Every structure is written in structure tokens, then in C-alpha cells.
Amino acid sequence: MILEENISEYQTKFIPKIMLSLCWILAVFVSGAEVREINLPGCSYVDPQIWYHAISDEDFVLQCALPDRIDTHIYDNSVLKQHQVKWFWLEKDKESPKAIKKNSNPALQGNELWFKPVRDSASGMYICMIGEKIQCLKIFLEVQTKKAAKCSGYDSNVLYLLADNGNSITCPGTKCYSHMKKSDVKWYKDGRQIKRRKTRLGLKLRHNEIYLNPTYGEDAGIYVCDYTFYDNTTEWTMRTAVTVEVIAKNTIHPPNFLYPKGVVILEAELGKPLELECHVQFGYERGSPRRVTWKRNNKESINENMNEETRDYPKGLKGHTVLCVAKLEEVTERDLRSNFTCFAENLVGNATSVIQLKRKQRGFLLYVLCSAVSILFAFLLCTAFIYQHWIEIVLMYRSYLVQNETTGDGKEFDAFVSYAKLDSSESDSTLISEEQFALELLPDILENKCGYKLCILERDILPGGAYTDEVVTAIKRSRRAIIILSPAYVSGPSIFELQAAVNCALEDKKIKLVLIKFQAFQEPDTLPLVVKKALRILPVITWKSSISAPPNKKFWKYMHYHMPVKTTKMLGNCSLKEFFHRLFSLVYR
Ligand SMILES: *[C@@H]1O[C@H](CO)[C@@H](O)[C@H](O)[C@H]1NC(C)=O
Ligand SMILES: *[C@@H]1O[C@H](CO)[C@@H](O)[C@H](O)[C@H]1NC(C)=O
């Protein structure tokens, strides 16, 4: 039961719907067929809305737009419009209209139909449809020859106006239908009506003409002029078009080279591709053949294909710039020997410029950079070396170049040696004692090896006078006072010798003190002020050797540095050989 009911409902509700759709499709099909017949739906009962007159062999344009738009625009070039508009043409005395295809004359463009030019045979009815909703426009066009339209003194439809000058544009159509009473002319430029505007004071509309003073480059374009006249019952629109080009005075100069100017030398790498560019400026010149080309050694030969590419950049009324590029696949030795000439020519004359190639120094910059870095590195190395071996350098310098400091200064000894005199029981057996150092090691090195003469009180001064007098005399007879500092020294009676030495040094500038820190010590508070100051200010050489350790070379180097300059054979033996040996072993390590 339920199933049956459903079926009957299906039949009553859905079948009529299907029928309706079929009818609709049929109607659409029929209406589609009707497009090819005269009776386009929605158009058939409408009379032609606009009646146009055109002059044969002139440019002409028709717009598909509703009448309210017609006043300010006679066409709209936008591509969007093109898809919305369909055009049909019903030839005179024919029954069925034909669809107008793209790329024909008349040409479809935006919402308009351009006749370039319009022929006698183009007369007839034009029907256009706008958009999806079927709305159409009927336009009647009557094309007449100039003779039939009674035209006299018809102007050219292309005008060349000189920029910056005063010019006028006359409506060509006003020269026709002289026997008719005409309305005023309406002017359109590029589809828009021309009206007086405050922004363009130089443009005036007077006596159906346009006056431009001055004329600008932007005034170029397609000007259309319309006027109407009545023929018994019909209002006709007479439409003609003028193409206006704005020009400048022809140049009086030959081409001007922007690059290269004169002779330019370019760096080129052998085997690498190279592009030779030539920029030339041309002045304004109407219809002139601009020519820019590359030549090798100023010869034009057919074999010599320079593989060039030329681009033209129009600069409006200022003329053109032309770029000509010659492409060398790879630079050869012959290219390096060639003169590449860029030749440019216009009606006035010609000009040339030359590019020569120069072999590129590969990695020149890298070379400079490397040298700079190595010089800097060498300088740093040198500085470090000098810093580390300053003493050796000074000693070498002294032994070669400085005069013997010791001759004729009235001194007997090179150095007075001052040390703490201890009981032998106090000395540590594993280490060298101060006494051993002062009495054995010091003389062994400084006297036997370096040739200095030391003054050791016990050894060199015959006892006789007071101890204090003996010490002072001995110091005064010496060039240096070597003080061997230790805890025993600073807290014992020997400190008097240091005090005496400081006083002597203050009196006699030739006496200098050499302090040796033999063992670490603490300064007792009881030390005389002069001694305290001397300990703080004077350079101290530290003795660091135990018996087992190798000879303290650094110590002896410093000792030697502080000792007087003495150029003797002995000194050479003592130091020079060793220093050279050390120096070279350091450098070539
Ligand atoms: C206009 O009307 C006159 C008579 O009134 C007639 O002689 C003439 O042929 C008509 N012109 C046109 C173009 O129809
Ligand atoms: C270039 O101009 C000079 C005169 O300025 C003329 O003698 C010469 O023949 C011209 N060259 C070419 C290739 O036209």
C-alpha cells in the first residue's frame, strides 16, 4: 500500500517537472537557432535605435552600449567588455544576420566594432547583444563615398602635430553634407567625450574645432567627432575619426654614444665569454632608419658575424636609445689584438666608439692581499722574535758596534761582589751555597769565560784598613756592584755593603748595581730607607738553579746584559759564538 502510494506520488509530482525541463531545453535550442534568423528574441519588435552615416575608406567605430552611456563614451576598450558583447550584421536586402567573428574587418575590440577602414559594402543593420540577459541594440549604418556625401576639402584622417606648438584639429565630417543643417560637433578622444577642463587650460573647443596650445605628447590618440542632421523623419549621426600623432622637430645631430665613449679598454679573460655593450642615444626623427652595429677593426665583412642583439627603447618625443650587444663565445688571442668598433648612424650622420680588450691579470687582487697578509705576518713574527731575544740582540749589538765602555774610566774592577759571609756549617749540602756561588761559580763564568775582572773583598783587597773603608774603596774602584741577596744577607751585617753600594752609585754615575735574588727573603723593617728604595726600584735577577739542574743559561744571559760593555777576545769566546748559535738555532728550528 505504502509502496503504491509512493509511486503514484512520484508520477504526479516529478514527471511534469521533467516535461517542463525538456520544453525549456527545446525553447533554448529554438531561440539559439533564431539568432541566425532576423527575429532575435527581445530585438525583433525594436526599430533601429541609432542611424549612422560614415564616409567610405575612412576609419569608423560603433559601440554596443545602452543609450544612457552613449553621451560620455563612444567606446570602451577594456578586454572585460569583449566577452560580454556579441555582434551580428544584416546586410542590406538580405534576410538573415551573420555573426561577426574575431580578427576580421570590422574588428571586435572591447565593446566596439572598429572599421579600419569602413567599406561601401558595410552598410546595413548591426545588431549587438550585451551580457547574459538578452538585451540588444540595433544600429543602422549608411556608408557613402565622399562624392555622394558632397564632401569638399576633406582633410586627411591622420594628423601630425608638432609638440609644444599651437595646433588645431578639424572634424573631417563637417566638410560633407554641406547642404544639410547640422548640429554642433561632439568630440571624443580615445572613446571619451572631450569637455572643457580646468586641468587642461591649453585645450579649447571652438567652431567645431579643437585648439591645442601648447600641444603635449599626451594629446596623441584617436579623435572621433559626431554631429547630427535630419533627413525628413530620421535623425542621422555623422561620425568621422582622426588619428593624431604628436611629433617633435627632427634631430639635427648624429647619434650620441652613451657607452662606450671614445676608446674604452676592457679587461677580458682568455677563453671566457664576453659581451660588448653599446648604448646609443638617438634624437627624435620621424621614420628614420636607426642603425647600430658592431664591427671588428672597423671592417664590415660578411664572414665576421659578431652575433649581435639590438634592442630599441623608445623615449617618446625625446627619441630613442638603442642597446646593441655583441656576444663573444670565448675571448681569443685575436680578440685581444682587435679593435671593436660600435657604429651608429641616423639621417644626419654617423658616430663610432671603440672597445679594446686587455688581458685580465688573474687574481691580481688575491696576490696583493696575500702579500699584505704575509708582510703583516712577518712583521708580527719579527716583533715576537725581537721581544723574546731582546737581550741577545742587545749583547750582539754591543759586542760589535759599541766602543769599549771600560777603557779610560779609571776603574780597576768590572764588578764588586757582595755576599753574606756564613759559617760553613749553616750551608745546605744539596744546594750550592751563597759562598760557593760568590767565590767559585761567579768568578768561573764571569772571569774565566767572559773576561771580566771581579773584586772579591777577601781575595783581592789586602787587609789593613778598616772594613768599612775597604768596602767603600773597593766599590768605588768597580764599575758594577753585584749583590747576592738572601735571607742571611738582608738580616746580617753584609747589608752595609748594599747600603754603601747604593750611596756610591748615587755619587758616581758610572757605578751600577746588579741585584741577584739568590734565595727568597723577607725584607726586615729595620732596613735603611735607601736600601728599601733600591730593592724596590733596581732590576733583580733571580737565581733558580740547583746542583742537579742544567746550567742556568738565562741567568747568565741577564748577568752579561747588566755587566759593562767590553769588547775583548775573551768576550767573543764567551758570548758571541754562543749567541749566534742560539739565534740561528732559534730561527731555523
Ligand atoms: C524627404 O521628403 C521629400 C518630400 O517631402 C522627398 O522628396 C525626399 O525624397 C525625402 N528624402 C528622403 C531621403 O527620403
Ligand atoms: C660617416 O660619416 C662620414 C662623414 O661625417 C662619411 O664620410 C662616412 O662615409 C660615413 N660612414 C659611413 C659608413 O656611412
Side-chain angles (χ1 to χ4, degrees):
M1 273 297 281
I2 294 163
L3 194 75
E4 267 185 34
E5 253 183 38
N6 279 356
I7 289 170
S8 69
E9 197 181 69
Y10 175 83
Q11 283 175 338
T12 51
K13 278 190 182 170
F14 289 93
I15 289 176
K17 277 198 178 174
I18 291 170
M19 289 296 283
L20 213 68
S21 331
L22 275 173
C23 283
W24 187 75
I25 289 167
L26 204 68
V28 168
F29 181 74
V30 168
S31 77
E34 267 178 0
V35 170
R36 263 155 261 135
E37 301 301 325
I38 178 70
N39 296 319
L40 297 161
C43 301
S44 54
Y45 49 85
V46 180
D47 282 334
Q49 285 131 326
I50 313 166
W51 302 71
Y52 280 109
H53 260 295
I55 301 295
S56 62
D57 301 321
E58 296 291 317
D59 287 357
F60 184 77
V61 66
L62 283 179
Q63 172 176 242
C64 184
L66 294 177
D68 60 324
R69 283 267 296 163
I70 289 171
D71 274 353
T72 52
H73 285 73
I74 52 161
Y75 57 87
D76 189 339
N77 261 335
S78 61
V79 182
L80 269 177
K81 298 270 179 186
Q82 196 160 326
H83 304 292
Q84 298 172 4
V85 179
K86 285 195 184 80
W87 284 93
F88 301 92
W89 178 42
L90 180 65
E91 213 177 322
K92 260 187 179 172
D93 312 321
K94 289 271 169 75
E95 284 296 313
S96 53
K98 288 192 289 183
I100 296 169
K101 294 186 199 93
K102 278 185 184 172
N103 309 323
S104 58
N105 185 20
L108 299 167
Q109 200 180 325
N111 69 351
E112 76 264 21
L113 203 56
W114 264 108
F115 298 79
K116 286 184 178 180
V118 64
R119 303 286 178 205
D120 284 345
S121 52
S123 293
M125 179 87 80
Y126 289 84
I127 303 153
C128 75
M129 294 163 77
I130 310 165
E132 293 303 311
K133 33 182 183 156
I134 304 167
Q135 195 149 35
C136 44
L137 198 69
K138 281 188 179 175
I139 302 167
F140 190 81
L141 175 63
E142 178 76 45
V143 184
Q144 285 186 310
T145 59
K146 283 168 196 160
K147 199 178 165 192
K150 297 193 171 83
C151 305
S152 60
Y154 192 94
D155 292 323
S156 160
N157 61 358
V158 182
L159 274 183
Y160 297 97
L161 307 182
L162 197 58
D164 303 326
N165 284 39
N167 289 290
S168 67
I169 305 168
T170 315
C171 177
T174 53
K175 304 286 169 69
C176 307
Y177 305 111
S178 43
H179 57 296
M180 295 289 195
K181 196 173 183 299
K182 302 172 184 119
S183 75
D184 277 347
V185 165
K186 260 190 197 168
W187 277 103
Y188 302 87
K189 182 186 176 236
D190 298 329
R192 279 166 161 268
Q193 194 181 356
I194 298 173
K195 285 180 182 153
R196 194 171 300 147
R197 272 179 298 146
K198 277 185 183 161
T199 49
R200 183 69 207 276
L201 293 172
L203 184 146
K204 289 193 174 71
L205 292 164
R206 210 180 292 152
H207 308 304
N208 298 337
E209 286 184 28
I210 298 174
Y211 290 88
L212 300 166
N213 194 11
T215 306
Y216 299 113
E218 295 76 46
D219 289 328
I222 296 173
Y223 288 74
V224 171
C225 56
D226 283 0
Y227 64 82
T228 54
F229 63 87
Y230 282 91
D231 171 12
N232 288 348
T233 51
T234 312
E235 188 200 41
W236 291 91
T237 299
M238 171 66 176
R239 172 170 288 176
T240 42
V242 194
T243 303
V244 169
E245 283 184 28
V246 178
I247 57 168
K249 279 190 185 132
N250 277 358
T251 181
I252 51 165
H253 302 290
N256 175 33
F257 274 89
L258 301 175
Y259 177 87
K261 277 179 192 270
V263 180
V264 168
I265 296 168
L266 269 191
E267 283 198 335
E269 250 179 86
L270 268 183
K272 291 276 166 72
L274 187 72
E275 291 195 349
L276 301 174
E277 290 195 356
C278 181
H279 286 262
V280 189
Q281 190 178 36
F282 287 88
Y284 184 88
E285 207 171 16
R286 204 146 57 85
S288 84
R290 289 178 292 278
R291 199 161 81 98
V292 180
T293 184
W294 277 103
K295 294 176 187 179
R296 188 194 286 271
N297 296 328
N298 216 358
K299 270 181 262 165
E300 213 162 1
S301 75
I302 301 138
N303 310 345
E304 198 63 68
N305 191 359
M306 289 285 289
N307 190 15
E308 61 186 39
E309 205 180 284
T310 309
R311 261 169 280 162
D312 193 320
Y313 300 95
K315 292 261 149 59
L317 297 176
K318 292 204 178 86
H320 292 253
T321 43
V322 175
L323 171 65
C324 181
V325 182
K327 287 174 183 163
L328 303 178
E329 299 271 311
E330 49 181 50
V331 176
T332 60
E333 289 283 353
R334 182 171 162 244
D335 293 332
L336 294 174
R337 279 180 272 113
S338 298
N339 274 349
F340 292 96
T341 307
C342 184
F343 175 84
E345 188 179 35
N346 67 359
L347 280 181
V348 183
N350 62 53
T352 55
S353 267
V354 174
I355 287 184
Q356 286 170 350
L357 301 184
K358 195 179 89 178
R359 198 186 301 269
K360 194 180 210 167
Q361 291 299 320
R362 269 191 109 174
F364 177 71
L365 204 72
L366 198 74
Y367 172 77
V368 169
L369 202 75
C370 274
S371 332
V373 167
S374 25
I375 286 169
L376 190 74
F377 188 71
F379 176 76
L380 287 177
L381 215 66
C382 210
T383 313
F385 183 82
I386 288 171
Y387 179 78
Q388 223 183 354
H389 300 285
W390 177 243
I391 303 234
E392 280 99 330
I393 290 161
V394 168
L395 292 175
M396 274 171 67
Y397 164 78
R398 274 192 200 167
S399 54
Y400 271 114
L401 299 166
V402 177
Q403 287 297 308
N404 200 338
E405 184 192 292
T406 60
T407 43
D409 62 353
K411 303 276 187 191
E412 197 176 331
F413 301 103
D414 287 307
F416 170 81
V417 182
S418 171
Y419 65 100
K421 288 107 198 149
L422 300 171
D423 301 335
S424 55
S425 60
E426 282 179 46
S427 66
D428 189 335
S429 60
T430 58
L431 290 170
I432 186 169
S433 75
E434 295 164 68
E435 209 151 2
Q436 273 178 305
F437 177 78
L439 300 179
E440 290 167 26
L441 198 53
L442 212 55
D444 184 42
I445 303 282
L446 293 182
E447 291 193 320
N448 299 346
K449 291 213 173 114
C450 299
Y452 289 111
K453 198 176 173 198
L454 299 182
C455 173
I456 298 165
L457 211 61
E458 287 78 2
R459 187 188 70 177
D460 301 311
I461 305 296
L462 289 173
Y467 161 73
T468 51
D469 292 344
E470 274 176 9
V471 166
V472 172
T473 322
I475 291 171
K476 281 185 177 166
R477 285 161 68 192
S478 306
R479 299 182 180 96
R480 299 283 184 273
I482 299 173
I483 315 292
I484 301 161
L485 297 166
S486 66
Y489 188 93
V490 290
S491 54
S494 304
I495 198 75
F496 161 74
E497 291 177 15
L498 174 55
Q499 194 181 350
V502 172
N503 289 331
C504 288
L506 289 173
E507 278 172 32
D508 184 350
K509 286 203 181 74
K510 277 179 242 158
I511 299 171
K512 289 192 179 89
L513 268 67
V514 182
L515 305 182
I516 299 171
K517 194 199 250 181
F518 190 75
Q519 278 168 27
F521 60 88
Q522 271 207 312
E523 262 180 55
D525 296 333
T526 53
L527 280 185
L529 194 66
V530 192
V531 174
K532 275 187 183 170
K533 279 188 179 164
L535 285 176
R536 214 163 300 136
I537 292 160
L538 293 173
V540 177
I541 312 168
T542 307
W543 174 253
K544 264 193 212 142
S545 186
S546 65
I547 285 174
S548 56
N552 195 335
K553 279 186 175 175
K554 205 171 172 185
F555 173 82
W556 292 115
K557 193 174 76 184
Y558 279 105
M559 272 309 288
H560 192 200
Y561 177 73
H562 288 290
M563 288 301 281
V565 180
K566 205 166 187 184
T567 44
T568 63
K569 251 190 177 166
M570 284 290 276
L571 186 67
N573 284 343
C574 153
S575 56
L576 215 60
K577 253 190 211 164
E578 195 189 336
F579 290 140
F580 263 127
H581 178 74
R582 274 183 106 184
L583 223 62
F584 286 121
S585 71
L586 268 169
V587 172
Y588 295 108
R589 188 158 52 197

